């Protein structure tokens, strides 16, 4: 067993000043019977904890570290910016450069509003859709997570699902009365939602690949069907690409699946490891935001120069030839290795992946919606989590999250996670 004495001490100290010792609930790892590991440093695909244990990191800060930790070019850009200023609360050139890059890469993007978190991005996109259409209704999918703004905390995945919180105290009925929750991958239910709210739906917001109930791919025709339903009803289609943006393809899921969204929310990768996120879309919608339009949105640290130069460098590095092919190769290696581990052990588990994100589901067939995921054996998941973590692999402490592969991972590291998983499955089901 690895020693976690110092992490334990740090956790006790943290609990004395922060709720649950953490600033974001899924880090707490209580649902898998663990305490959080306190990180000390990271490089490439590896992190070291405060007790000196090394791990191969398959969390990657939940998405941003697509190149691995501390890419030298990003650090260089950040260092140079630190010498010039860390926050101006006024325009800087890096904002325009990054926005221009987003417009070049993301289908349909002519304008970008920078914000600091994915939560702000989706909240802004929803407000904008309501402002533009003059309608109140938002259709969202059970198990999709779009951050923690009130209107979107209904039927949410990620930490809300992990902690089994059915509805969050503090979110009033009024805040979610216009949020219509339907099952993921269910076009008929979505059509019925439109029919029972004729002329009332401002937008459908969707994770084009769900990654907050584990990774669940969109079924054939699902995204195309949403496009059609939105067009028929005059509603906006919002792709929440906070995870998939710049990861599945340079232009995210819109590019990968060839379906155009009206608004797209971006986060994680766009900040290069610093707090940045964005809403992108056509000028006719984005220009409705203040100051050009009446839909208000603002932020002291929005377009922060350090985050902007980090994100810009990150996006440039991702455009190196072969980047996305390599991510897909590594993702396929993970899926292939997990598939073999499952076949050899005969364990009642399945592996789902899209590109470089994937999830080991403790259910015999891959889930297609939130109800399926809810039937997974989370006790067995927790045993797998503890086994692989103790063997030196950092994976998300919840069945409702993804494994993230980065360009820093090697095939050997991926295959080591798969063989350790095979051992774990033998122990759990042996
Ligand atoms: N949307 C999606 C799809 C996400 O995965 C997340 C966070 N994991 C968010 C929105 C919220 O982003 P943030 O945590 O930066 O507020």
């Amino acid at each position: 067993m690895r020693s976690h004495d110092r992490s334990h001490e740090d956790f006790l100290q943290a609990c004395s000043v922060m709720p649950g010792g953490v600033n974001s609930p899924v880090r707490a790892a209580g649902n898998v019977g663990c305490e959080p590991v306190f990180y000390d440093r990271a490089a490439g695909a590896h992190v070291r904890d405060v007790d000196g244990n090394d791990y191969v990191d398959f969390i990657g800060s939940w998405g941003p570290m697509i190149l691995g930790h501390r890419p030298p070019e990003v650090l260089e850009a950040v260092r140079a910016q630190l010498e010039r200023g860390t926050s101006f609360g006024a325009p800087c050139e890096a904002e325009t450069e990054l926005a221009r890059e987003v417009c070049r890469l993301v289908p349909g993007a002519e304008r970008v509003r920078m914000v600091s978190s994915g939560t702000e991005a989706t909240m802004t996109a929803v407000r904008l859709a309501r402002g533009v259409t003059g309608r109140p209704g938002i259709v969202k999918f059970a198990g999709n997570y779009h951050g923690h703004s009130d209107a979107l905390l209904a039927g949410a995945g990620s930490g809300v699902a992990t902690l089994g919180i059915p509805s969050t105290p503090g979110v009033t009925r009024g805040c979610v009365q216009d949020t219509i929750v339907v099952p993921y991958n269910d076009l008929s239910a979505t059509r019925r939602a439109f029919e029972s709210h004729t002329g009332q739906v401002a937008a459908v917001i969707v994770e084009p690949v769900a990654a907050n109930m584990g990774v669940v791919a969109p079924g054939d025709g699902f995204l195309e069907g949403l496009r059609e339903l939105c067009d028929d009803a005059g509603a906006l289609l919002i792709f929440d690409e906070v995870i998939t943006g710049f990861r599945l393809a340079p232009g995210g899921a819109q590019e990968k699946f060839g379906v155009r969204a009206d608004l797209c929310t971006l986060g994680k990768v766009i900040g290069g490891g610093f707090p940045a996120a964005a809403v992108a879309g056509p000028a006719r919608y984005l220009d409705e935001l203040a100051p050009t339009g009446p839909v208000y949105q603002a932020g002291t640290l929005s377009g922060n120069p350090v985050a902007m130069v980090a994100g810009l460098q990150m996006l440039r590095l991702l455009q190196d030839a072969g980047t996305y092919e390599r991510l897909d190769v590594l993702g396929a290696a993970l899926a292939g290795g997990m598939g073999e581990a499952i076949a050899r052990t005969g364990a009642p588990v399945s592996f789902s992946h899209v590109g470089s994100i994937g999830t080991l589901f403790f259910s015999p067939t891959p889930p297609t919606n939130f109800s399926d995921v809810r039937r997974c054996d989370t006790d067995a998941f927790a045993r797998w989590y503890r086994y692989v973590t103790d063997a030196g692999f950092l994976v998300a402490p919840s069945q409702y999250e993804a494994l993230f592969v980065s360009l820093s991972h090697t095939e050997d590291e991926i295959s080591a996670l798969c063989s350790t998983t095979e051992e774990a499955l033998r122990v759990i089901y042996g």
Side-chain angles (χ1 to χ4, degrees), residues 103 106-111 254 260-262 280-283:
C103 290
V106 175
E110 295 171 338
R111 297 277 191 277
Q254 291 197 76
R260 184 66 69 86
D262 296 301

PDB file of all heavy atoms in Angstrom, residues 103 106-111 254 260-262 280-283:
ATOM      1  N   CYS A 103     -12.621  31.468 -33.906  1.00  0.00           N
ATOM      2  CA  CYS A 103     -13.469  31.664 -35.097  1.00  0.00           C
ATOM      3  C   CYS A 103     -12.934  30.861 -36.280  1.00  0.00           C
ATOM      4  O   CYS A 103     -13.708  30.375 -37.108  1.00  0.00           O
ATOM      5  CB  CYS A 103     -13.552  33.141 -35.480  1.00  0.00           C
ATOM      6  SG  CYS A 103     -14.496  34.101 -34.291  1.00  0.00           S
ATOM      7  N   VAL A 106     -13.678  26.812 -35.013  1.00  0.00           N
ATOM      8  CA  VAL A 106     -14.997  26.299 -34.609  1.00  0.00           C
ATOM      9  C   VAL A 106     -16.049  26.625 -35.670  1.00  0.00           C
ATOM     10  O   VAL A 106     -16.244  27.805 -35.995  1.00  0.00           O
ATOM     11  CB  VAL A 106     -15.405  26.905 -33.237  1.00  0.00           C
ATOM     12  CG1 VAL A 106     -16.822  26.500 -32.854  1.00  0.00           C
ATOM     13  CG2 VAL A 106     -14.419  26.486 -32.166  1.00  0.00           C
ATOM     14  N   PRO A 107     -16.728  25.626 -36.221  1.00  0.00           N
ATOM     15  CA  PRO A 107     -17.732  25.884 -37.253  1.00  0.00           C
ATOM     16  C   PRO A 107     -18.789  26.880 -36.770  1.00  0.00           C
ATOM     17  O   PRO A 107     -19.278  26.777 -35.642  1.00  0.00           O
ATOM     18  CB  PRO A 107     -18.369  24.500 -37.483  1.00  0.00           C
ATOM     19  CG  PRO A 107     -17.310  23.529 -37.083  1.00  0.00           C
ATOM     20  CD  PRO A 107     -16.565  24.190 -35.951  1.00  0.00           C
ATOM     21  N   GLY A 108     -19.086  27.829 -37.624  1.00  0.00           N
ATOM     22  CA  GLY A 108     -20.157  28.790 -37.311  1.00  0.00           C
ATOM     23  C   GLY A 108     -19.747  29.931 -36.407  1.00  0.00           C
ATOM     24  O   GLY A 108     -20.540  30.851 -36.166  1.00  0.00           O
ATOM     25  N   ALA A 109     -18.528  29.902 -35.884  1.00  0.00           N
ATOM     26  CA  ALA A 109     -18.119  30.955 -34.942  1.00  0.00           C
ATOM     27  C   ALA A 109     -17.654  32.195 -35.689  1.00  0.00           C
ATOM     28  O   ALA A 109     -16.712  32.135 -36.473  1.00  0.00           O
ATOM     29  CB  ALA A 109     -17.017  30.450 -34.020  1.00  0.00           C
ATOM     30  N   GLU A 110     -18.376  33.298 -35.459  1.00  0.00           N
ATOM     31  CA  GLU A 110     -17.947  34.594 -36.013  1.00  0.00           C
ATOM     32  C   GLU A 110     -17.608  35.565 -34.892  1.00  0.00           C
ATOM     33  O   GLU A 110     -16.918  36.548 -35.096  1.00  0.00           O
ATOM     34  CB  GLU A 110     -19.082  35.216 -36.842  1.00  0.00           C
ATOM     35  CG  GLU A 110     -19.443  34.425 -38.084  1.00  0.00           C
ATOM     36  CD  GLU A 110     -20.710  34.942 -38.751  1.00  0.00           C
ATOM     37  OE1 GLU A 110     -21.534  35.610 -38.064  1.00  0.00           O
ATOM     38  OE2 GLU A 110     -20.885  34.660 -39.939  1.00  0.00           O
ATOM     39  N   ARG A 111     -18.160  35.277 -33.717  1.00  0.00           N
ATOM     40  CA  ARG A 111     -17.908  36.121 -32.549  1.00  0.00           C
ATOM     41  C   ARG A 111     -17.710  35.204 -31.342  1.00  0.00           C
ATOM     42  O   ARG A 111     -18.298  34.107 -31.281  1.00  0.00           O
ATOM     43  CB  ARG A 111     -19.102  37.017 -32.233  1.00  0.00           C
ATOM     44  CG  ARG A 111     -19.446  38.018 -33.293  1.00  0.00           C
ATOM     45  CD  ARG A 111     -18.580  39.265 -33.172  1.00  0.00           C
ATOM     46  NE  ARG A 111     -19.114  40.309 -34.034  1.00  0.00           N
ATOM     47  CZ  ARG A 111     -18.858  40.404 -35.349  1.00  0.00           C
ATOM     48  NH1 ARG A 111     -18.076  39.523 -35.940  1.00  0.00           N
ATOM     49  NH2 ARG A 111     -19.385  41.389 -36.053  1.00  0.00           N
ATOM     50  N   GLN A 254     -18.947  19.499 -33.454  1.00  0.00           N
ATOM     51  CA  GLN A 254     -19.592  20.017 -34.680  1.00  0.00           C
ATOM     52  C   GLN A 254     -18.858  19.495 -35.896  1.00  0.00           C
ATOM     53  O   GLN A 254     -19.465  19.064 -36.871  1.00  0.00           O
ATOM     54  CB  GLN A 254     -19.558  21.551 -34.704  1.00  0.00           C
ATOM     55  CG  GLN A 254     -20.432  22.230 -33.690  1.00  0.00           C
ATOM     56  CD  GLN A 254     -20.635  23.690 -34.094  1.00  0.00           C
ATOM     57  OE1 GLN A 254     -21.407  23.977 -35.001  1.00  0.00           O
ATOM     58  NE2 GLN A 254     -19.946  24.604 -33.431  1.00  0.00           N
ATOM     59  N   ARG A 260     -24.210  21.245 -37.310  1.00  0.00           N
ATOM     60  CA  ARG A 260     -23.959  22.628 -36.942  1.00  0.00           C
ATOM     61  C   ARG A 260     -24.852  23.056 -35.773  1.00  0.00           C
ATOM     62  O   ARG A 260     -26.064  22.867 -35.813  1.00  0.00           O
ATOM     63  CB  ARG A 260     -24.222  23.517 -38.164  1.00  0.00           C
ATOM     64  CG  ARG A 260     -23.909  24.975 -37.984  1.00  0.00           C
ATOM     65  CD  ARG A 260     -22.427  25.247 -37.788  1.00  0.00           C
ATOM     66  NE  ARG A 260     -21.630  25.007 -38.974  1.00  0.00           N
ATOM     67  CZ  ARG A 260     -21.426  25.904 -39.939  1.00  0.00           C
ATOM     68  NH1 ARG A 260     -21.967  27.092 -39.861  1.00  0.00           N
ATOM     69  NH2 ARG A 260     -20.676  25.624 -40.973  1.00  0.00           N
ATOM     70  N   ALA A 261     -24.228  23.617 -34.743  1.00  0.00           N
ATOM     71  CA  ALA A 261     -24.995  24.183 -33.628  1.00  0.00           C
ATOM     72  C   ALA A 261     -25.158  25.678 -33.868  1.00  0.00           C
ATOM     73  O   ALA A 261     -24.426  26.265 -34.658  1.00  0.00           O
ATOM     74  CB  ALA A 261     -24.261  23.939 -32.320  1.00  0.00           C
ATOM     75  N   ASP A 262     -26.128  26.291 -33.172  1.00  0.00           N
ATOM     76  CA  ASP A 262     -26.278  27.739 -33.280  1.00  0.00           C
ATOM     77  C   ASP A 262     -25.324  28.446 -32.341  1.00  0.00           C
ATOM     78  O   ASP A 262     -24.780  29.495 -32.666  1.00  0.00           O
ATOM     79  CB  ASP A 262     -27.726  28.138 -32.960  1.00  0.00           C
ATOM     80  CG  ASP A 262     -28.691  27.552 -33.971  1.00  0.00           C
ATOM     81  OD1 ASP A 262     -28.532  27.849 -35.170  1.00  0.00           O
ATOM     82  OD2 ASP A 262     -29.558  26.755 -33.578  1.00  0.00           O
ATOM     83  N   ALA A 280     -19.357  30.811 -28.342  1.00  0.00           N
ATOM     84  CA  ALA A 280     -19.030  31.197 -29.716  1.00  0.00           C
ATOM     85  C   ALA A 280     -20.245  30.971 -30.595  1.00  0.00           C
ATOM     86  O   ALA A 280     -21.054  30.073 -30.331  1.00  0.00           O
ATOM     87  CB  ALA A 280     -17.853  30.375 -30.228  1.00  0.00           C
ATOM     88  N   GLY A 281     -20.354  31.766 -31.644  1.00  0.00           N
ATOM     89  CA  GLY A 281     -21.474  31.611 -32.568  1.00  0.00           C
ATOM     90  C   GLY A 281     -21.500  32.724 -33.596  1.00  0.00           C
ATOM     91  O   GLY A 281     -20.577  33.545 -33.664  1.00  0.00           O
ATOM     92  N   PRO A 282     -22.569  32.758 -34.387  1.00  0.00           N
ATOM     93  CA  PRO A 282     -22.673  33.778 -35.431  1.00  0.00           C
ATOM     94  C   PRO A 282     -22.840  35.173 -34.839  1.00  0.00           C
ATOM     95  O   PRO A 282     -23.396  35.331 -33.745  1.00  0.00           O
ATOM     96  CB  PRO A 282     -23.953  33.391 -36.191  1.00  0.00           C
ATOM     97  CG  PRO A 282     -24.382  32.079 -35.655  1.00  0.00           C
ATOM     98  CD  PRO A 282     -23.723  31.865 -34.353  1.00  0.00           C
ATOM     99  N   ALA A 283     -22.390  36.165 -35.613  1.00  0.00           N
ATOM    100  CA  ALA A 283     -22.500  37.554 -35.158  1.00  0.00           C
ATOM    101  C   ALA A 283     -23.954  37.920 -34.833  1.00  0.00           C
ATOM    102  O   ALA A 283     -24.225  38.642 -33.871  1.00  0.00           O
ATOM    103  CB  ALA A 283     -21.946  38.485 -36.233  1.00  0.00           C
TER     104      ALA A 283
END
